[in-house]
Amino acid sequence: MASLQASTLLLPSSSSSSSCSRKINAAIHVPNLPKLNFSVPKISTRKQLGEELNIRQDRFMNTLITTTPIEVRSDKSTTIVTTQLYAILEAVADRVEMHANIGAQRDNWNTLLLNSINMITLTAATMAGIAATGGIGMPLLALKLSSTLLYSAAMGMMVIMNKIQPSQLAEEQRNATRLFKQLQTQIQTMLAIETPTQEDVKDVMEKVLALDKAYPLPLLGTMLEKFPEKFEPAVWWPSNQVQKKNKAKQCNTPRDNNGWSEELEMEMREIIQVVKRKDIEDYVRLGNLGLKLNKVLAISGPLLTGIAAIGSAFVGNGSCAAIVAVAAGALASVVNSFEHGGQVGMVIEMYRNCGGFFQLMEESIEATLEERDLEKRENGELFEMKAAMKLGRSLSQLSELARKSSTSSHVDEFASKLF
């Protein structure tokens, strides 16, 4: 605040001119203010500004070079694994296409060979019948020779066809196509929702090689035996696949014990017993029955055709050779149609595949239950749902089947409702 102080001074006036004058003096007092020091930044010259920018740029590059390699090494490891899986995925997709094309080709083999052999056999039987109606001389010889040659050709083609079983070959390729597509989907899921490791790459490669061995493409050297001594289910998975499945596959669930309980373990054990007693046993029985039937048909067809060829060579001599030639040829055509038209080999391969499916499921459940560390198992609820879906049942139906198996040693129904 400023203070104002005023004083009035009276000056004496002279006698000659008496006048008064009034003078005002004012003084303003301002309080002392604190001193403020302001620093004005120095304006850098163009040269100094350039040097400062260069220094900052060098510091940034040094920091970038120091910190970047750590991230690159981590990303590089993940990128290599992902690249390897994509390479395997391309190979699997190529195998899917190859097996599908070869399956269609071998299915055409079955149709073409069946029709060709039947036409040749029936033509030879017709010639033998015409020769027996009274032909003489050169016409009789021509008919007999033609009939014998046609029967011989049909017998040779029938032997080859029965050996390779084109309908069974086609079914093998169809199964291989389905399993490779399943593996393709698994790899795509792994790349989408998981972080793959080098161990995953090895597992996938083992699965691919196991499928190649179970369903070979060539016919010579590696073709599966079509008439084994004993029927055995197909095996298309690596021997150590089931143990490797027990690695930690936990779900984000608040429940303890990774979704497992004593009731669920008992339920899975009962399901295994039903699969063993009903499904696997039934498919092995049907497979052995179909294998025996196919062996009989594979021998009967060429044998009847050979008898017809021999009978046709003696047609026209007043014997019953014509009856043998015509009747045996007709029976051979019927047997060939039943074996390959009915696709007995395809049915046997279907039984092999179904038996392998249940065997894989049995091994998977047993290996999972043998793992005592619950955290290393697959989540119990997820495992139960997968088992129910594979068997074509709901969760309640699966529990009901396990309850029936636990209360009675004889269960009327099969575990699977799909096969």
Side-chain angles (χ1 to χ4, degrees):
M1 295 292 293
S3 63
L4 179 63
Q5 182 180 5
S7 63
T8 306
L9 298 177
L10 298 177
L11 300 175
S13 57
S14 61
S15 58
S16 59
S17 58
S18 59
S19 59
C20 296
S21 63
R22 185 176 295 176
K23 187 177 182 180
I24 299 175
N25 294 330
I28 298 177
H29 298 278
V30 179
N32 295 327
L33 297 176
K35 295 183 178 180
L36 299 177
N37 296 324
F38 295 97
S39 60
V40 179
K42 297 181 179 179
I43 301 176
S44 300
T45 63
R46 181 177 299 178
K47 181 177 180 181
Q48 293 174 345
L49 182 61
E51 291 177 353
E52 184 177 357
L53 289 176
N54 290 334
I55 293 173
R56 292 183 179 182
Q57 184 178 6
D58 292 339
R59 290 177 181 176
F60 175 75
M61 292 302 296
N62 291 334
T63 305
L64 183 63
I65 293 173
T66 304
T67 58
T68 301
I70 300 177
E71 299 178 356
V72 169
R73 279 194 287 267
S74 177
D75 294 342
K76 185 177 180 181
S77 176
T78 305
T79 304
I80 291 176
V81 172
T82 305
T83 304
Q84 290 175 342
L85 282 178
Y86 273 112
I88 297 175
L89 185 62
E90 291 178 1
V92 170
D94 185 57
R95 280 170 168 80
V96 169
E97 190 69 20
M98 284 192 300
H99 283 283
N101 293 338
I102 292 179
Q105 179 195 46
R106 292 175 180 177
D107 188 50
N108 289 335
W109 284 2
N110 184 68
T111 303
L112 295 175
L113 287 173
L114 172 63
N115 294 334
S116 299
I117 292 173
N118 284 344
M119 290 299 298
I120 292 173
T121 305
L122 294 177
T123 302
T126 303
M127 287 184 175
I130 294 174
T133 57
I136 57 174
M138 295 302 294
L140 175 61
L141 180 60
L143 289 173
K144 289 167 56 177
L145 183 60
S146 299
S147 178
T148 303
L149 290 176
L150 287 175
Y151 273 134
S152 301
M155 182 181 65
M157 294 175 65
M158 201 175 293
V159 169
I160 297 174
M161 188 176 185
N162 293 345
K163 177 66 176 177
I164 65 175
Q165 294 290 315
S167 63
Q168 188 169 351
L169 291 175
E171 182 65 16
E172 289 175 6
Q173 303 309 312
R174 283 191 287 265
N175 290 333
T177 302
R178 180 180 62 84
L179 293 172
F180 271 114
K181 285 183 178 180
Q182 183 180 4
L183 180 59
Q184 183 180 13
T185 304
Q186 292 176 0
I187 298 174
Q188 291 172 347
T189 303
M190 185 185 303
L191 290 169
I193 65 176
E194 298 179 10
T195 303
T197 61
Q198 196 66 37
E199 189 68 23
D200 294 326
V201 175
K202 294 180 180 179
D203 293 344
V204 172
M205 289 187 65
E206 290 179 359
K207 290 179 182 180
V208 173
L209 296 178
L211 279 173
D212 289 338
K213 183 179 179 180
Y215 300 102
L217 289 172
L219 289 180
L220 301 178
T222 58
M223 184 181 68
L224 298 178
E225 178 61 40
K226 298 301 182 288
F227 301 99
E229 294 294 331
K230 183 182 179 182
F231 176 84
E232 294 181 356
V235 178
W236 61 82
W237 58 92
S239 57
N240 57 349
Q241 174 184 346
V242 179
Q243 287 78 10
K244 290 182 179 180
K245 271 188 170 182
N246 289 328
K247 63 182 180 179
K249 290 183 180 179
Q250 304 176 13
C251 295
N252 296 327
T253 173
R255 300 188 179 183
D256 297 331
N257 298 328
N258 197 21
W260 286 93
S261 62
E262 293 184 2
E263 292 78 9
L264 181 56
E265 290 186 358
M266 291 301 299
E267 178 181 326
M268 291 294 105
R269 289 191 174 93
E270 294 300 331
I271 295 300
I272 291 177
Q273 296 303 319
V274 177
V275 169
K276 286 182 179 179
R277 291 195 305 262
K278 298 293 293 183
D279 299 81
I280 296 180
E281 183 179 346
D282 188 67
Y283 276 108
V284 171
R285 178 182 63 82
L286 291 175
N288 284 316
L289 182 62
L291 187 59
K292 292 178 181 178
L293 176 62
N294 200 27
K295 287 181 179 179
V296 172
L297 294 175
I299 296 173
S300 300
L303 180 62
L304 289 171
T305 309
I307 293 174
I310 296 173
S312 63
F314 297 97
V315 172
N317 295 330
S319 62
C320 60
I323 299 176
V324 174
V326 175
L331 286 176
S333 180
V334 171
V335 169
N336 188 58
S337 298
F338 183 77
E339 180 182 7
H340 299 289
Q343 298 189 351
V344 179
M346 182 273 294
V347 175
I348 295 174
E349 183 61 29
M350 182 185 68
Y351 289 156
R352 287 184 68 249
N353 183 73
C354 293
F357 170 81
F358 290 115
Q359 184 175 339
L360 176 60
M361 186 174 184
E362 176 189 349
E363 292 181 5
S364 176
I365 295 177
E366 287 180 347
T368 301
L369 295 180
E370 287 175 0
E371 177 59 58
R372 306 315 305 169
D373 189 355
L374 299 181
E375 295 300 325
K376 292 184 179 180
R377 295 182 184 178
E378 189 174 3
N379 181 265
E381 296 178 356
L382 179 61
F383 189 84
E384 182 185 17
M385 184 193 70
K386 287 183 178 181
M389 294 299 296
K390 288 179 180 179
L391 297 176
R393 292 176 175 270
S394 63
L395 295 178
S396 59
Q397 291 175 342
L398 194 68
S399 302
E400 181 66 19
L401 179 64
R403 187 189 62 80
K404 290 181 180 180
S405 176
S406 61
T407 56
S408 176
S409 59
H410 180 71
V411 181
D412 295 333
E413 58 181 325
F414 292 92
S416 175
K417 289 189 174 183
L418 292 178
F419 307 112

